[in-house]
mmCIF file of all heavy atoms in Angstrom:
data_model
loop_
_atom_site.group_PDB
_atom_site.id
_atom_site.type_symbol
_atom_site.label_atom_id
_atom_site.label_comp_id
_atom_site.label_asym_id
_atom_site.label_seq_id
_atom_site.Cartn_x
_atom_site.Cartn_y
_atom_site.Cartn_z
ATOM 1 N N LYS A 17 159.882 134.280 243.270
ATOM 2 C CA LYS A 17 160.202 132.936 243.860
ATOM 3 C C LYS A 17 159.931 131.815 242.834
ATOM 4 O O LYS A 17 160.610 130.714 242.958
ATOM 5 C CB LYS A 17 159.436 132.773 245.142
ATOM 6 C CG LYS A 17 159.859 131.478 245.909
ATOM 7 C CD LYS A 17 159.242 131.447 247.328
ATOM 8 C CE LYS A 17 159.706 130.219 248.084
ATOM 9 N NZ LYS A 17 159.344 130.331 249.358
ATOM 10 N N PHE A 18 158.978 131.959 242.087
ATOM 11 C CA PHE A 18 158.471 130.915 241.187
ATOM 12 C C PHE A 18 158.631 131.099 239.774
ATOM 13 O O PHE A 18 158.142 130.352 238.872
ATOM 14 C CB PHE A 18 156.976 130.612 241.471
ATOM 15 C CG PHE A 18 156.771 130.109 242.889
ATOM 16 C CD1 PHE A 18 156.099 130.891 243.787
ATOM 17 C CD2 PHE A 18 157.222 128.850 243.292
ATOM 18 C CE1 PHE A 18 155.861 130.533 245.133
ATOM 19 C CE2 PHE A 18 156.977 128.449 244.597
ATOM 20 C CZ PHE A 18 156.379 129.239 245.512
ATOM 21 N N THR A 19 159.388 132.049 239.344
ATOM 22 C CA THR A 19 159.673 132.401 237.857
ATOM 23 C C THR A 19 161.179 132.515 237.635
ATOM 24 O O THR A 19 161.886 132.741 238.578
ATOM 25 C CB THR A 19 158.972 133.533 237.406
ATOM 26 O OG1 THR A 19 159.459 134.765 238.072
ATOM 27 C CG2 THR A 19 157.442 133.502 237.610
ATOM 28 N N VAL A 20 161.539 132.421 236.393
ATOM 29 C CA VAL A 20 162.870 132.610 235.875
ATOM 30 C C VAL A 20 162.747 133.698 234.852
ATOM 31 O O VAL A 20 162.030 133.618 233.877
ATOM 32 C CB VAL A 20 163.488 131.354 235.270
ATOM 33 C CG1 VAL A 20 164.803 131.610 234.664
ATOM 34 C CG2 VAL A 20 163.617 130.268 236.427
ATOM 35 N N ALA A 21 163.519 134.736 235.029
ATOM 36 C CA ALA A 21 163.560 135.834 234.013
ATOM 37 C C ALA A 21 164.861 136.604 234.129
ATOM 38 O O ALA A 21 165.596 136.505 235.125
ATOM 39 C CB ALA A 21 162.406 136.765 234.277
ATOM 40 N N GLY A 22 165.275 137.287 233.109
ATOM 41 C CA GLY A 22 166.468 138.027 233.028
ATOM 42 C C GLY A 22 167.316 137.775 231.883
ATOM 43 O O GLY A 22 166.913 137.223 230.855
ATOM 44 N N THR A 23 168.610 138.009 232.052
ATOM 45 C CA THR A 23 169.591 137.743 230.942
ATOM 46 C C THR A 23 169.804 136.312 230.911
ATOM 47 O O THR A 23 169.469 135.501 231.807
ATOM 48 C CB THR A 23 170.909 138.440 231.224
ATOM 49 O OG1 THR A 23 171.501 137.830 232.417
ATOM 50 C CG2 THR A 23 170.789 139.941 231.408
ATOM 51 N N PRO A 24 170.358 135.749 229.748
ATOM 52 C CA PRO A 24 170.641 134.390 229.647
ATOM 53 C C PRO A 24 171.443 133.819 230.919
ATOM 54 O O PRO A 24 171.107 132.761 231.513
ATOM 55 C CB PRO A 24 171.354 134.182 228.372
ATOM 56 C CG PRO A 24 170.807 135.301 227.544
ATOM 57 C CD PRO A 24 170.640 136.399 228.509
ATOM 58 N N ASP A 25 172.448 134.543 231.349
ATOM 59 C CA ASP A 25 173.244 134.154 232.481
ATOM 60 C C ASP A 25 172.391 134.062 233.761
ATOM 61 O O ASP A 25 172.501 133.139 234.583
ATOM 62 C CB ASP A 25 174.427 135.048 232.702
ATOM 63 C CG ASP A 25 175.528 134.743 231.677
ATOM 64 O OD1 ASP A 25 175.618 133.620 231.063
ATOM 65 O OD2 ASP A 25 176.425 135.640 231.434
ATOM 66 N N GLN A 26 171.559 135.174 234.072
ATOM 67 C CA GLN A 26 170.660 135.164 235.151
ATOM 68 C C GLN A 26 169.705 133.927 235.087
ATOM 69 O O GLN A 26 169.430 133.310 236.110
ATOM 70 C CB GLN A 26 169.892 136.425 235.210
ATOM 71 C CG GLN A 26 170.779 137.696 235.506
ATOM 72 C CD GLN A 26 170.007 138.962 235.289
ATOM 73 O OE1 GLN A 26 169.045 139.101 234.472
ATOM 74 N NE2 GLN A 26 170.346 139.935 236.120
ATOM 75 N N CYS A 27 169.173 133.641 233.955
ATOM 76 C CA CYS A 27 168.221 132.487 233.817
ATOM 77 C C CYS A 27 168.962 131.178 234.111
ATOM 78 O O CYS A 27 168.404 130.349 234.808
ATOM 79 C CB CYS A 27 167.605 132.468 232.398
ATOM 80 S SG CYS A 27 166.510 133.838 232.139
ATOM 81 N N ARG A 28 170.160 131.045 233.654
ATOM 82 C CA ARG A 28 170.949 129.827 233.944
ATOM 83 C C ARG A 28 171.119 129.727 235.421
ATOM 84 O O ARG A 28 170.919 128.566 236.024
ATOM 85 C CB ARG A 28 172.286 129.856 233.265
ATOM 86 C CG ARG A 28 172.216 129.569 231.752
ATOM 87 C CD ARG A 28 173.581 129.583 231.154
ATOM 88 N NE ARG A 28 173.600 129.744 229.766
ATOM 89 C CZ ARG A 28 173.624 130.939 229.108
ATOM 90 N NH1 ARG A 28 173.902 132.081 229.850
ATOM 91 N NH2 ARG A 28 173.628 131.113 227.786
ATOM 92 N N GLU A 29 171.509 130.800 236.101
ATOM 93 C CA GLU A 29 171.757 130.763 237.593
ATOM 94 C C GLU A 29 170.415 130.425 238.228
ATOM 95 O O GLU A 29 170.423 129.625 239.260
ATOM 96 C CB GLU A 29 172.242 132.145 237.985
ATOM 97 C CG GLU A 29 173.662 132.374 237.581
ATOM 98 C CD GLU A 29 174.037 133.863 237.951
ATOM 99 O OE1 GLU A 29 173.336 134.455 238.831
ATOM 100 O OE2 GLU A 29 175.111 134.328 237.422
ATOM 101 N N GLN A 30 169.339 130.986 237.850
ATOM 102 C CA GLN A 30 168.062 130.677 238.520
ATOM 103 C C GLN A 30 167.562 129.351 238.319
ATOM 104 O O GLN A 30 167.106 128.632 239.246
ATOM 105 C CB GLN A 30 167.010 131.769 237.998
ATOM 106 C CG GLN A 30 167.220 133.183 238.377
ATOM 107 C CD GLN A 30 166.443 134.182 237.621
ATOM 108 O OE1 GLN A 30 165.160 133.905 237.424
ATOM 109 N NE2 GLN A 30 166.922 135.418 237.363
ATOM 110 N N LEU A 31 167.766 128.755 237.094
ATOM 111 C CA LEU A 31 167.392 127.364 236.913
ATOM 112 C C LEU A 31 168.269 126.430 237.661
ATOM 113 O O LEU A 31 167.772 125.466 238.259
ATOM 114 C CB LEU A 31 167.617 127.087 235.385
ATOM 115 C CG LEU A 31 166.457 127.547 234.373
ATOM 116 C CD1 LEU A 31 166.958 127.444 232.940
ATOM 117 C CD2 LEU A 31 165.189 126.871 234.707
ATOM 118 N N GLN A 32 169.568 126.818 237.794
ATOM 119 C CA GLN A 32 170.444 125.924 238.567
ATOM 120 C C GLN A 32 170.078 126.000 240.027
ATOM 121 O O GLN A 32 170.128 124.943 240.748
ATOM 122 C CB GLN A 32 171.874 126.430 238.456
ATOM 123 C CG GLN A 32 172.845 125.511 239.159
ATOM 124 C CD GLN A 32 172.844 124.012 238.545
ATOM 125 O OE1 GLN A 32 172.937 123.860 237.303
ATOM 126 N NE2 GLN A 32 172.675 123.033 239.310
ATOM 127 N N ALA A 33 169.547 127.143 240.525
ATOM 128 C CA ALA A 33 169.150 127.218 241.933
ATOM 129 C C ALA A 33 167.953 126.231 242.156
ATOM 130 O O ALA A 33 167.810 125.559 243.168
ATOM 131 C CB ALA A 33 168.719 128.667 242.348
ATOM 132 N N TYR A 34 166.991 126.114 241.236
ATOM 133 C CA TYR A 34 165.835 125.272 241.341
ATOM 134 C C TYR A 34 166.384 123.837 241.256
ATOM 135 O O TYR A 34 165.883 122.994 242.121
ATOM 136 C CB TYR A 34 164.828 125.398 240.099
ATOM 137 C CG TYR A 34 163.943 126.575 240.278
ATOM 138 C CD1 TYR A 34 163.998 127.653 239.363
ATOM 139 C CD2 TYR A 34 163.010 126.674 241.283
ATOM 140 C CE1 TYR A 34 163.172 128.770 239.513
ATOM 141 C CE2 TYR A 34 162.194 127.745 241.439
ATOM 142 C CZ TYR A 34 162.220 128.791 240.575
ATOM 143 O OH TYR A 34 161.371 129.877 240.651
ATOM 144 N N ILE A 35 167.342 123.493 240.496
ATOM 145 C CA ILE A 35 167.864 122.138 240.433
ATOM 146 C C ILE A 35 168.517 121.767 241.800
ATOM 147 O O ILE A 35 168.408 120.692 242.295
ATOM 148 C CB ILE A 35 168.794 122.022 239.217
ATOM 149 C CG1 ILE A 35 168.209 122.194 237.926
ATOM 150 C CG2 ILE A 35 169.566 120.595 239.242
ATOM 151 C CD1 ILE A 35 167.023 121.365 237.536
ATOM 152 N N ASP A 36 169.292 122.739 242.212
ATOM 153 C CA ASP A 36 170.075 122.578 243.543
ATOM 154 C C ASP A 36 169.081 122.306 244.655
ATOM 155 O O ASP A 36 169.441 121.652 245.685
ATOM 156 C CB ASP A 36 170.987 123.702 243.848
ATOM 157 C CG ASP A 36 172.112 123.792 242.867
ATOM 158 O OD1 ASP A 36 172.389 122.853 242.090
ATOM 159 O OD2 ASP A 36 172.763 124.869 242.797
ATOM 160 N N ALA A 37 167.923 122.905 244.534
ATOM 161 C CA ALA A 37 166.870 122.794 245.649
ATOM 162 C C ALA A 37 166.094 121.575 245.462
ATOM 163 O O ALA A 37 165.263 121.205 246.311
ATOM 164 C CB ALA A 37 165.881 123.991 245.599
ATOM 165 N N GLY A 38 166.353 120.785 244.401
ATOM 166 C CA GLY A 38 165.708 119.465 244.236
ATOM 167 C C GLY A 38 164.659 119.367 243.231
ATOM 168 O O GLY A 38 164.018 118.287 243.044
ATOM 169 N N VAL A 39 164.508 120.459 242.437
ATOM 170 C CA VAL A 39 163.480 120.302 241.323
ATOM 171 C C VAL A 39 164.128 119.378 240.188
ATOM 172 O O VAL A 39 165.262 119.760 239.825
ATOM 173 C CB VAL A 39 163.134 121.711 240.808
ATOM 174 C CG1 VAL A 39 162.250 121.620 239.553
ATOM 175 C CG2 VAL A 39 162.381 122.522 241.924
ATOM 176 N N ASP A 40 163.419 118.346 239.825
ATOM 177 C CA ASP A 40 164.005 117.639 238.769
ATOM 178 C C ASP A 40 163.239 117.594 237.477
ATOM 179 O O ASP A 40 163.604 117.157 236.400
ATOM 180 C CB ASP A 40 164.229 116.181 239.177
ATOM 181 C CG ASP A 40 162.871 115.512 239.699
ATOM 182 O OD1 ASP A 40 161.870 116.075 239.606
ATOM 183 O OD2 ASP A 40 162.944 114.355 240.088
ATOM 184 N N GLU A 41 161.973 118.273 237.551
ATOM 185 C CA GLU A 41 161.255 118.369 236.247
ATOM 186 C C GLU A 41 160.542 119.827 236.244
ATOM 187 O O GLU A 41 159.388 119.979 236.496
ATOM 188 C CB GLU A 41 160.269 117.337 236.091
ATOM 189 C CG GLU A 41 160.777 116.042 235.781
ATOM 190 C CD GLU A 41 159.712 114.957 235.370
ATOM 191 O OE1 GLU A 41 158.646 115.397 234.830
ATOM 192 O OE2 GLU A 41 159.877 113.811 235.708
ATOM 193 N N PRO A 42 161.329 120.884 235.940
ATOM 194 C CA PRO A 42 160.721 122.187 235.888
ATOM 195 C C PRO A 42 159.764 122.365 234.788
ATOM 196 O O PRO A 42 159.879 121.696 233.770
ATOM 197 C CB PRO A 42 161.941 123.184 235.704
ATOM 198 C CG PRO A 42 162.935 122.245 235.195
ATOM 199 C CD PRO A 42 162.733 120.940 235.604
ATOM 200 N N VAL A 43 158.666 123.032 235.080
ATOM 201 C CA VAL A 43 157.682 123.370 233.956
ATOM 202 C C VAL A 43 158.101 124.697 233.364
ATOM 203 O O VAL A 43 158.136 125.662 234.149
ATOM 204 C CB VAL A 43 156.200 123.391 234.563
ATOM 205 C CG1 VAL A 43 155.261 123.748 233.485
ATOM 206 C CG2 VAL A 43 155.954 122.028 235.206
ATOM 207 N N ILE A 44 158.336 124.714 232.168
ATOM 208 C CA ILE A 44 158.794 125.889 231.496
ATOM 209 C C ILE A 44 157.876 126.413 230.403
ATOM 210 O O ILE A 44 157.458 125.624 229.583
ATOM 211 C CB ILE A 44 160.253 125.615 230.867
ATOM 212 C CG1 ILE A 44 161.215 125.240 231.934
ATOM 213 C CG2 ILE A 44 160.769 126.863 230.049
ATOM 214 C CD1 ILE A 44 162.547 124.743 231.395
ATOM 215 N N GLU A 45 157.485 127.575 230.512
ATOM 216 C CA GLU A 45 156.691 128.255 229.581
ATOM 217 C C GLU A 45 157.527 129.486 228.994
ATOM 218 O O GLU A 45 157.952 130.336 229.810
ATOM 219 C CB GLU A 45 155.369 128.827 230.098
ATOM 220 C CG GLU A 45 154.506 129.485 229.098
ATOM 221 C CD GLU A 45 153.218 130.044 229.654
ATOM 222 O OE1 GLU A 45 152.705 129.458 230.630
ATOM 223 O OE2 GLU A 45 152.745 131.086 229.101
ATOM 224 N N VAL A 46 157.662 129.547 227.760
ATOM 225 C CA VAL A 46 158.549 130.581 227.067
ATOM 226 C C VAL A 46 157.503 131.628 226.499
ATOM 227 O O VAL A 46 156.620 131.236 225.782
ATOM 228 C CB VAL A 46 159.390 129.947 226.034
ATOM 229 C CG1 VAL A 46 160.184 131.059 225.412
ATOM 230 C CG2 VAL A 46 160.337 128.906 226.669
ATOM 231 N N SER A 47 157.778 132.798 226.722
ATOM 232 C CA SER A 47 156.916 133.852 226.210
ATOM 233 C C SER A 47 157.846 135.054 225.806
ATOM 234 O O SER A 47 159.010 135.114 226.048
ATOM 235 C CB SER A 47 155.964 134.359 227.245
ATOM 236 O OG SER A 47 156.580 134.872 228.394
ATOM 237 N N GLY A 48 157.168 135.974 225.014
ATOM 238 C CA GLY A 48 157.920 137.203 224.604
ATOM 239 C C GLY A 48 157.873 137.211 223.041
ATOM 240 O O GLY A 48 157.039 136.585 222.399
ATOM 241 N N THR A 49 158.785 137.970 222.522
ATOM 242 C CA THR A 49 158.796 138.139 221.057
ATOM 243 C C THR A 49 159.406 136.815 220.495
ATOM 244 O O THR A 49 159.998 136.008 221.209
ATOM 245 C CB THR A 49 159.777 139.333 220.683
ATOM 246 O OG1 THR A 49 161.163 139.035 221.137
ATOM 247 C CG2 THR A 49 159.238 140.530 221.273
ATOM 248 N N ASP A 50 159.459 136.702 219.145
ATOM 249 C CA ASP A 50 160.044 135.500 218.583
ATOM 250 C C ASP A 50 161.626 135.424 218.854
ATOM 251 O O ASP A 50 162.090 134.362 219.209
ATOM 252 C CB ASP A 50 159.916 135.555 217.066
ATOM 253 C CG ASP A 50 158.463 135.249 216.677
ATOM 254 O OD1 ASP A 50 157.689 134.687 217.402
ATOM 255 O OD2 ASP A 50 158.042 135.441 215.426
ATOM 256 N N GLU A 51 162.227 136.622 218.886
ATOM 257 C CA GLU A 51 163.567 136.643 219.278
ATOM 258 C C GLU A 51 163.863 136.204 220.653
ATOM 259 O O GLU A 51 164.785 135.457 220.986
ATOM 260 C CB GLU A 51 164.187 138.097 218.979
ATOM 261 C CG GLU A 51 165.657 138.213 219.275
ATOM 262 C CD GLU A 51 166.126 139.618 218.935
ATOM 263 O OE1 GLU A 51 165.423 140.430 218.371
ATOM 264 O OE2 GLU A 51 167.264 139.906 219.352
ATOM 265 N N GLU A 52 163.017 136.662 221.570
ATOM 266 C CA GLU A 52 163.187 136.360 222.967
ATOM 267 C C GLU A 52 162.890 134.864 223.199
ATOM 268 O O GLU A 52 163.583 134.148 224.001
ATOM 269 C CB GLU A 52 162.216 137.183 223.804
ATOM 270 C CG GLU A 52 162.637 138.668 223.929
ATOM 271 C CD GLU A 52 161.576 139.480 224.492
ATOM 272 O OE1 GLU A 52 160.322 139.217 224.425
ATOM 273 O OE2 GLU A 52 161.869 140.581 224.955
ATOM 274 N N LYS A 53 161.884 134.339 222.517
ATOM 275 C CA LYS A 53 161.624 132.925 222.556
ATOM 276 C C LYS A 53 162.757 132.083 222.120
ATOM 277 O O LYS A 53 163.144 131.015 222.632
ATOM 278 C CB LYS A 53 160.371 132.595 221.893
ATOM 279 C CG LYS A 53 159.031 133.113 222.512
ATOM 280 C CD LYS A 53 157.900 132.807 221.549
ATOM 281 C CE LYS A 53 156.612 133.402 222.125
ATOM 282 N NZ LYS A 53 155.453 133.173 221.243
ATOM 283 N N ALA A 54 163.408 132.486 220.962
ATOM 284 C CA ALA A 54 164.479 131.711 220.415
ATOM 285 C C ALA A 54 165.633 131.793 221.364
ATOM 286 O O ALA A 54 166.269 130.771 221.640
ATOM 287 C CB ALA A 54 164.990 132.361 219.088
ATOM 288 N N LEU A 55 165.857 132.917 222.067
ATOM 289 C CA LEU A 55 167.042 132.939 223.033
ATOM 290 C C LEU A 55 166.773 132.098 224.193
ATOM 291 O O LEU A 55 167.607 131.367 224.665
ATOM 292 C CB LEU A 55 167.187 134.426 223.495
ATOM 293 C CG LEU A 55 168.228 134.765 224.463
ATOM 294 C CD1 LEU A 55 169.660 134.258 223.801
ATOM 295 C CD2 LEU A 55 168.325 136.252 224.728
ATOM 296 N N ALA A 56 165.494 132.109 224.661
ATOM 297 C CA ALA A 56 165.125 131.305 225.867
ATOM 298 C C ALA A 56 165.268 129.775 225.492
ATOM 299 O O ALA A 56 165.813 129.007 226.315
ATOM 300 C CB ALA A 56 163.685 131.564 226.177
ATOM 301 N N LEU A 57 164.922 129.386 224.304
ATOM 302 C CA LEU A 57 165.018 127.957 223.942
ATOM 303 C C LEU A 57 166.518 127.642 223.826
ATOM 304 O O LEU A 57 166.976 126.492 224.145
ATOM 305 C CB LEU A 57 164.251 127.647 222.650
ATOM 306 C CG LEU A 57 162.841 127.698 222.760
ATOM 307 C CD1 LEU A 57 162.081 127.606 221.360
ATOM 308 C CD2 LEU A 57 162.310 126.619 223.622
#
Side-chain angles (χ1 to χ4, degrees):
K17 188 171 185 170
F18 297 108
T19 63
V20 172
T23 67
D25 285 339
Q26 291 169 328
C27 291
R28 285 183 200 93
E29 290 174 15
Q30 293 169 39
L31 283 169
Q32 188 60 53
Y34 282 117
I35 300 301
D36 293 346
V39 173
D40 58 2
E41 287 191 32
V43 176
I44 299 173
E45 179 182 331
V46 178
S47 62
T49 66
D50 287 344
E51 184 178 346
E52 291 166 335
K53 289 176 185 177
L55 183 57
L57 291 173

